[in-house]
Amino acid sequence: ALQTRPPVVVVMGHIDHGKSTLLDYIRKTNIVDKEVGGITQRMSAYEVTHEQDGVQKHITFLGTPGHESFNAMRARGALSADIAILIVSAEDAVKPQTLDAYRAIKSARLPFIVGISKIDKPNASVDKAKLSLAENEIYVEGYGGEIPFVPFSGKTGEGVNDLLDMILLTAEVEGFKADVSVPAECIVIEANRDNVRGVSATLIVKNGTLKIGDVLVSGLASSSVRILEDFTGKAIKEAGPSKPIRVVGWSEQPEVGGLCFTFKTKKEAEAFIESERERIAEETKKVANQQRLSAHDILANMASANGEEVDTTDPANKIATLAIIIKGDTNGTLEAVKYELSKIKVERVNLKIVQTGIGDITENDVKLAGGKAGTLVIGFNTKVDNSARQLALRMGIQIETFDIIYKLTEWLTIKAEENIPKRNVEEETGTLKILKVFSANKDKQVIGGRVE
């Protein structure tokens, strides 16, 4: 029952090396101008057709962010795909996120093609890019290796057809197949929530066929498939292997990167969810039994490492905790925000995420923040309900929203520095040797001495 299926291709590389511009040209739409700050901050899935030997063939593309905060999203993209395109700019050559992407590709054991971008630029040099790749032990054809490469320009379109031909050739060699007759198995690419349609998820069908009326389960989340859309938002009745789709109407938000399984009845789905719940409860119990270092333990360990004792009751050694509530538009962007928080290192300040969630900032978020003085509420690519904003003003809760990842980092670093615990320091300014006591009474002494 196996049939040839379209390849799923992930496009990876350093920030601003032309990934979005390539996808933009291929799809003949404009997404680059819509991306805040010119940075792709989410993963998206698209399906395109390319004519080869007079036959229209399908390719599914996954675009991934290049910013360092989105390492997890890049890794997930690699695991979801069949083929990777490693984009390297002919202007800048290999950069840090190029190597991050390469490591993700190697870890996922994906066949890949090197796309050398921006060949239309005045300072472009394909040889420079190939040499830089070789210096980082990525050997393309003609430079000591067998990795195929295609120079192209996402602006002019030069070389783009060659790249698509290379993708289809690689897919033919690899022989990707699927069985359309079995229940669908999918992988979650993105998940989000809005006030109108509730929870929706972008999926890639890995095998089988998903149909209206099926019941999807991913972890503890489920959806009786009533609204099924293709990547353009058009309603469809079924979707086969390699199709990027959106399923609307989940009981809760499915975990991004998780597998989805299909059941014909709700009863079967509920039985599966119950077994998952028991498994997760057991794992949670194990985690709860693990010891976590307290601030006291951290200080004691630091002292032990330095061969000295630290009085952890001394106010000078106290650690402040800055509580944070985060709301984002997707799980992927929440991952990126958490990564940014992990990079912020401020002396004697511990950043603690007390809650995360998908969707707009609501009154409930503000009420939760009100439980601990100084709690910050941060939104990323989200809005603030009017009622939440008014309540925050009354309660003195600070809410900040961002749409560029590094702006959030800069602001939060400043807030952390403002919360460094104050300490009283006794400073010796001089030494006097007493030579003579001239007179003394209960409240006063007159002395003579020499400043040492």
Side-chain angles (χ1 to χ4, degrees), residues 132-344:
S132 179
L133 286 161
E135 288 170 349
N136 287 279
E137 299 182 357
I138 305 172
Y139 303 106
V140 300
E141 293 172 342
Y143 265 69
E146 298 179 351
I147 301 168
F149 73 93
V150 178
F152 73 92
S153 167
K155 288 286 187 185
T156 66
E158 182 184 353
V160 172
N161 282 338
D162 295 334
L163 183 59
L164 296 176
D165 285 338
M166 184 61 73
I167 290 169
L168 292 173
L169 176 61
T170 304
E172 187 178 335
V173 171
E174 296 291 330
F176 302 121
K177 295 183 182 296
D179 184 351
V180 298
S181 66
V182 299
E185 190 174 305
C186 312
I187 188 165
V188 182
I189 300 299
E190 285 178 340
N192 54 39
R193 180 194 302 272
D194 65 50
N195 295 331
V196 178
R197 307 214 302 172
V199 178
S200 63
T202 300
L203 316 174
I204 297 289
V205 180
K206 298 294 287 182
N207 194 45
T209 301
L210 182 67
K211 300 176 181 179
I212 292 287
D214 287 345
V215 183
L216 271 177
V217 175
S218 181
L220 301 181
S222 64
S223 173
S224 296
V225 182
R226 296 187 181 92
I227 301 177
L228 181 61
E229 300 172 344
D230 67 10
F231 76 96
T232 66
K234 178 184 175 183
I236 55 177
K237 293 184 177 180
E238 63 178 41
S242 303
K243 293 286 184 182
I245 54 173
R246 182 179 291 109
V247 175
V248 181
W250 290 79
S251 60
E252 60 183 76
Q253 195 144 322
E255 183 179 350
V256 176
L259 284 175
C260 297
F261 302 100
T262 306
F263 299 87
K264 289 301 178 186
T265 68
K266 196 169 184 179
K267 186 176 180 180
E268 291 175 337
E270 287 172 350
F272 180 83
I273 290 172
E274 188 56 36
S275 67
E276 278 292 284
R277 185 175 282 111
E278 291 173 1
R279 182 186 64 80
I280 292 170
E282 187 62 32
E283 289 182 358
T284 304
K285 185 178 178 181
K286 290 179 182 177
V287 171
N289 289 331
Q290 294 176 352
Q291 295 296 321
R292 292 176 179 268
L293 290 176
S294 66
H296 182 283
D297 296 324
I298 292 169
L299 286 167
N301 288 348
M302 289 168 57
S304 175
N306 294 328
E308 59 188 34
E309 292 186 5
V310 172
D311 180 8
T312 56
T313 62
D314 186 344
N317 294 321
K318 293 298 180 183
I319 295 177
T321 297
L322 182 58
I324 302 166
I325 295 171
I326 305 170
K327 298 296 287 287
D329 60 336
T330 69
N331 274 333
T333 52
L334 280 179
E335 282 179 348
V337 173
K338 290 176 185 176
Y339 175 81
E340 286 297 297
L341 264 62
S342 72
K343 294 193 310 181
I344 298 174

Side-chain angles (χ1 to χ4, degrees), residues 348-388:
R348 296 184 299 121
V349 176
N350 176 39
L351 301 183
K352 183 179 180 181
I353 301 172
V354 296
Q355 181 168 293
T356 62
I358 304 298
D360 293 344
I361 295 170
T362 65
E363 278 190 69
N364 287 336
D365 300 315
V366 177
K367 288 175 182 176
L368 178 63
K372 179 175 173 57
T375 300
L376 303 175
V377 182
I378 298 174
F380 190 73
N381 288 339
T382 60
K383 298 177 182 178
V384 184
D385 289 350
N386 288 332
S387 56

Side-chain angles (χ1 to χ4, degrees), residues 91-163:
E91 275 190 312
D92 301 330
V94 172
K95 291 289 184 180
Q97 273 74 67
T98 313
L99 298 177
D100 286 344
Y102 176 66
R103 284 189 285 269
I105 292 167
K106 294 295 287 183
S107 178
R109 299 182 180 180
L110 285 183
F112 72 103
I113 302 159
V114 171
I116 300 178
S117 63
K118 300 191 176 185
I119 59 172
D120 58 295
K121 297 289 186 178
N123 297 325
S125 171
V126 173
D127 285 337
K128 173 187 171 184
K130 290 193 287 188
L131 179 60
S132 179
L133 286 161
E135 288 170 349
N136 287 279
E137 299 182 357
I138 305 172
Y139 303 106
V140 300
E141 293 172 342
Y143 265 69
E146 298 179 351
I147 301 168
F149 73 93
V150 178
F152 73 92
S153 167
K155 288 286 187 185
T156 66
E158 182 184 353
V160 172
N161 282 338
D162 295 334
L163 183 59

